[in-house]
Amino acid sequence: MFKMLATLIRGNAADATEAFAAQNALPLLRQQLREACAEIEAAKHAIALAMAGHKQEAERAERLKAQRDDLEIRALAALEAKEEALAQEAAQSIAHLDDEITACEKIIARYDDEITTLRSRVREAQSRINNLKRGQRVATANAVTQKLQTKVAPQNTSSLEEAESTLAALEERQRTADLTREARRELEMEANPSTIAKRMADKGLGTPVNSSADDVLARLQAKAKTTKAK
């Protein structure tokens, strides 16, 4: 039982941690990017220091070589002048300069290797950061659009459905009222004696109620004949 409770507590803690990380993923990503950028800046500073050290050692090696070349010329002159003691002193100095130059060359080579390695790592890290920044922009845009959709789109569509049902009912009642009025007008017209007489006249039963164009024309022609006869 105790083991089960301990497992349950660990599970709840893990769920809470995951939920917290999910809710704060964007702020966490922004901070991680800031820290990564700071590390790259530190690496760039280290490269700059290494390049400065490389240049200093190269300049030191050039000075030492110049001193050695000068001493070699003077040592040769001393030998020609039979100045063995001076030539010996010059040889000792030249040997010391050779050791210093060798040390400088080893340091320069070390700097070269370190600068090459650091530059490669910085390029790789910068490329990864650029990819992360692009992904961050996409994730931020997705988060913004999700918030907009949440604000704009109704969470509960029941109100819309109820409004649509109400509108449909109103339209149906209006249609029923229109049809009812139309039917009542027809009934009233059917019960009207004038309407009945017209309907019968239209079927040739009795005199026409309304004059037709043919009737008017015939009357006019008869009147014209009468007038001409007078």
Side-chain angles (χ1 to χ4, degrees):
M1 183 67 179
F2 177 78
K3 182 178 180 180
M4 184 183 298
L5 287 175
T7 303
L8 181 60
I9 291 171
R10 290 197 301 272
N12 289 334
D15 290 342
T17 302
E18 290 178 1
F20 179 80
Q23 292 173 358
N24 297 275
L26 279 176
L28 180 62
L29 178 59
R30 285 194 294 268
Q31 181 57 30
Q32 289 170 337
L33 279 173
R34 282 192 287 266
E35 292 176 359
C37 288
E39 291 175 359
I40 284 184
E41 290 302 316
K44 289 179 179 178
H45 184 66
I47 291 174
L49 290 176
M51 292 175 69
H54 181 281
K55 186 174 182 179
Q56 288 175 340
E57 286 298 325
E59 291 174 349
R60 175 178 170 78
E62 290 300 320
R63 290 195 301 270
L64 293 173
K65 288 177 181 178
Q67 290 178 358
R68 182 189 62 186
D69 293 343
D70 181 66
L71 279 176
E72 284 182 353
I73 293 172
R74 296 180 186 278
L76 289 173
L79 289 173
E80 290 179 0
K82 307 298 183 180
E83 296 287 345
E84 298 291 340
L86 288 174
Q88 181 64 32
E89 289 181 14
Q92 290 177 352
S93 294
I94 291 169
H96 175 71
L97 289 171
D98 284 338
D99 291 339
E100 289 292 323
I101 291 169
T102 300
C104 286
E105 289 174 346
K106 289 181 179 179
I107 294 172
I108 290 170
R110 179 61 180 171
Y111 274 132
D112 284 334
D113 292 340
E114 192 67 21
I115 290 169
T116 301
T117 301
L118 286 174
R119 278 181 166 172
S120 176
R121 290 178 180 175
V122 166
R123 281 194 298 269
E124 180 184 358
Q126 189 65 60
S127 176
R128 293 169 66 183
I129 282 181
N130 291 338
N131 290 333
L132 285 170
K133 285 183 176 179
R134 285 190 290 270
Q136 180 194 18
R137 291 199 300 273
V138 173
T140 302
N142 288 337
V144 171
T145 54
Q146 287 174 1
K147 288 181 179 178
L148 289 174
Q149 290 174 0
T150 301
K151 291 180 180 179
V152 174
Q155 295 299 310
N156 187 359
T157 59
S158 60
S159 298
L160 290 175
E161 293 171 356
E162 290 173 0
E164 290 169 349
S165 298
T166 301
L167 178 60
L170 286 172
E171 291 175 344
E172 184 63 25
R173 283 198 294 270
Q174 185 62 44
R175 175 64 176 163
T176 301
D178 293 340
L179 291 174
T180 302
R181 283 195 297 271
E182 183 178 343
R184 289 193 61 177
R185 281 196 301 270
E186 290 178 0
L187 289 173
E188 289 172 358
M189 290 177 65
E190 288 177 359
N192 193 323
S194 299
T195 304
I196 296 173
K198 183 178 182 306
R199 289 169 57 201
M200 295 179 72
D202 290 342
K203 291 187 177 183
L205 303 173
T207 13
V209 175
N210 296 325
S211 298
S212 65
D214 292 338
D215 294 336
V216 173
L217 181 60
R219 188 173 68 251
L220 291 173
Q221 288 174 346
K223 187 175 181 182
K225 288 178 181 179
T226 304
T227 303
K228 187 177 180 180
K230 290 181 179 180

